[in-house]
């Protein structure tokens, strides 16, 4: 028997746990990996308080992270839900205890749609043709969506996205308040499509590493200056980080930890204004950024 699949209704929002997408009418937001994991753990708690320690262990298994990372993740969730810590409607903070989901929650089973049997041969031919066209269209749409990566800024005002643009891939931003779309950068298809925001909404870091190269490449786009900083470091361990242009970049390799679980590792990169960027790897490919 096939396993049943569910969506979760959280007040006016619907979460698809498979795609990590939240929808509310025509609005759709793709949650980042850790944000989705934290939300799912809050859902599983079913209105009960879940401690920060337990959330960290379940959302970041085998990874050393601070409570500050969890607090920022919960803050991102609140911005998506347009929630308030002072007057919460979705996520409640219990000082020195943890968090709990207080919004109305409902588990909804996804209905399976069956294809009706077509009795006449002539209708069968047309039915098969229409079905083939529909499947082709769905595959195209799926591939198109699978190649796109969207992230919401910490202040909830801008969506950054990486998607295919002709023969290349491109970084776009869309201002939610006025619908304005900007093309920020264009590059060859990276070996993994990953991006994230800085906590102050001023920078977007994204992966431009090519599978054929023997080094990792990261770009940081500053929305205030419209400048791109280029960070490059070798894929083999034991070598120091080296920066490409601009030459005044302060980035350097601080530390690298190889975690035995799930073949994951993390690079800590010191950036401007004492910021630290964590580059997370899985199977030797960049899987996420934490600013």
């Amino acid at each position: 028997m096939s396993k049943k699949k569910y969506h979760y209704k959280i007040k006016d929002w619907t979460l698809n746990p498979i795609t990590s997408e939240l929808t509310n009418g025509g609005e759709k937001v793709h949650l980042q990996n850790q944000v989705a994991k934290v939300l799912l753990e809050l859902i599983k708690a079913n209105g009960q308080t879940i401690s920060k320690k337990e959330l960290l262990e379940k959302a970041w298994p085998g990874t050393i992270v601070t409570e500050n990372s969890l607090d920022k993740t919960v803050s991102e969730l609140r911005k998506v839900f347009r929630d308030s810590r002072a007057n919460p409607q979705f996520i409640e903070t219990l000082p020195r205890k943890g968090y709990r989901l207080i919004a109305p929650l409902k588990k909804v089973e996804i209905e399976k749609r069956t294809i009706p049997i077509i009795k006449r041969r002539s209708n069968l031919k047309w039915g098969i043709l229409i079905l083939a066209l529909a499947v082709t269209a769905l595959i195209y749409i799926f591939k198109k969506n699978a190649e796109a990566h969207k992230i919401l800024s910490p202040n909830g005002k801008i969506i950054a996205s990486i998607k295919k643009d002709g023969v290349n891939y491109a970084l776009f931003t869309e201002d939610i308040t006025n619908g304005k779309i900007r093309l920020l950068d264009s590059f060859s298809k990276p070996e993994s499509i990953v991006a994230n925001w800085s906590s102050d909404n001023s920078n977007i870091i994204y992966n431009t590493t090519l599978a054929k190269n023997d080094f990792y490449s990261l770009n940081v786009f500053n929305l205030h200056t419209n400048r791109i900083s280029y960070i490059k470091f070798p894929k083999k361990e034991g070598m120091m980080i080296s920066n490409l242009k601009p030459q005044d970049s302060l980035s350097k390799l601080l530390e690298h930890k190889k975690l035995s679980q799930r073949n994951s590792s993390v690079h800590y990169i010191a950036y401007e204004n004492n910021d630290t960027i964590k580059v997370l790897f899985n199977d030797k490919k960049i899987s996420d950024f934490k600013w």
Side-chain angles (χ1 to χ4, degrees):
M1 294 179 65
S2 60
K3 190 176 180 181
K4 292 182 179 180
K5 297 179 180 179
Y6 295 90
H7 284 175
Y8 295 98
K9 292 281 293 183
I10 310 167
K11 203 173 182 180
D12 300 326
W13 292 84
T14 300
L15 172 68
N16 184 334
I18 299 173
T19 62
S20 298
E21 283 186 342
L22 271 173
T23 55
N24 185 353
E27 186 175 358
K28 182 183 291 186
V29 178
H30 180 80
L31 299 179
Q32 293 178 318
N33 186 33
Q34 302 307 131
V35 178
K37 284 184 178 180
V38 169
L39 179 55
L40 282 172
E41 291 304 326
L42 289 169
I43 290 172
K44 290 176 184 177
N46 197 25
Q48 299 298 312
T49 302
I50 181 168
S51 68
K52 289 187 176 183
K53 181 180 178 182
E54 188 176 355
L55 273 174
L56 287 169
E57 289 174 351
K58 290 184 176 181
W60 287 269
T63 305
I64 302 173
V65 292
T66 64
E67 288 189 2
N68 185 50
S69 297
L70 174 60
D71 294 339
K72 286 183 178 180
T73 302
V74 173
S75 178
E76 288 182 36
L77 270 175
R78 284 198 174 111
K79 286 171 183 174
V80 172
F81 289 132
R82 301 178 184 88
D83 199 16
S84 166
R85 176 171 179 167
N87 185 25
Q89 302 297 313
F90 287 85
I91 301 172
E92 181 183 26
T93 301
L94 290 91
R96 296 183 296 278
K97 290 185 179 181
Y99 298 100
R100 71 185 182 106
L101 188 67
I102 59 174
L105 178 65
K106 185 178 180 182
K107 191 175 182 180
V108 182
E109 183 179 352
I110 302 175
E111 295 182 0
K112 296 180 180 179
R113 297 183 179 179
T114 57
I115 301 172
I117 299 173
I118 303 171
K119 295 181 178 179
R120 296 184 181 177
R121 290 186 178 179
S122 57
N123 288 343
L124 181 60
K125 279 186 181 180
W126 286 107
I128 292 173
L129 178 60
I130 293 171
L131 181 61
L133 291 172
V135 170
T136 303
L138 285 172
I139 291 172
Y140 173 79
I141 293 170
F142 176 80
K143 286 183 176 179
K144 199 79 173 175
N145 291 335
E147 290 172 342
H149 182 82
K150 296 183 179 180
I151 47 170
L152 184 68
S153 62
N155 63 12
K157 295 181 179 179
I158 303 174
I159 295 175
S161 60
I162 293 178
K163 54 188 176 181
K164 193 165 185 179
D165 185 37
V167 296
N168 290 326
Y169 279 67
L171 173 67
F172 296 87
T173 56
E174 180 181 355
D175 192 315
I176 295 176
T177 59
N178 56 27
K180 184 177 180 181
I181 296 176
R182 290 179 60 196
L183 169 62
L184 304 184
D185 191 17
S186 180
F187 43 89
S188 299
K189 181 181 179 180
E191 65 178 12
S192 59
I193 301 174
V194 187
N196 209 336
W197 287 84
S198 62
S199 57
D200 62 359
N201 309 283
S202 63
N203 293 284
I204 303 171
I205 183 169
Y206 49 106
N207 183 30
T208 56
T209 304
L210 301 180
K212 65 181 180 180
N213 288 347
D214 57 359
F215 54 84
Y216 294 106
S217 297
L218 315 178
N219 289 7
V220 180
F221 191 98
N222 187 300
L223 295 174
H224 296 324
T225 63
N226 292 327
R227 292 183 62 195
I228 300 176
S229 297
Y230 300 84
I231 302 172
K232 172 184 174 183
F233 55 100
K235 290 183 177 179
K236 291 183 179 179
E237 296 181 26
M239 297 179 67
M240 295 300 293
I241 195 170
S242 61
N243 295 316
L244 301 180
K245 54 187 179 180
Q247 295 298 324
D248 60 348
S249 174
L250 300 178
S251 303
K252 60 183 179 180
L253 179 63
L254 293 183
E255 183 181 357
H256 173 266
K257 290 184 179 179
K258 180 82 178 225
L259 304 177
S260 59
Q261 294 183 356
R262 301 182 183 178
N263 196 26
S264 61
S265 59
V266 56
H267 279 82
Y268 293 84
I269 298 175
Y271 202 66
E272 299 170 355
N273 303 320
N274 296 320
D275 279 348
T276 299
I277 304 170
K278 290 193 295 184
V279 187
L280 281 65
F281 293 81
N282 191 20
D283 293 328
K284 298 183 180 179
K285 290 184 180 179
I286 295 174
S287 60
D288 204 355
F289 297 112
K290 296 297 175 185
W291 199 300

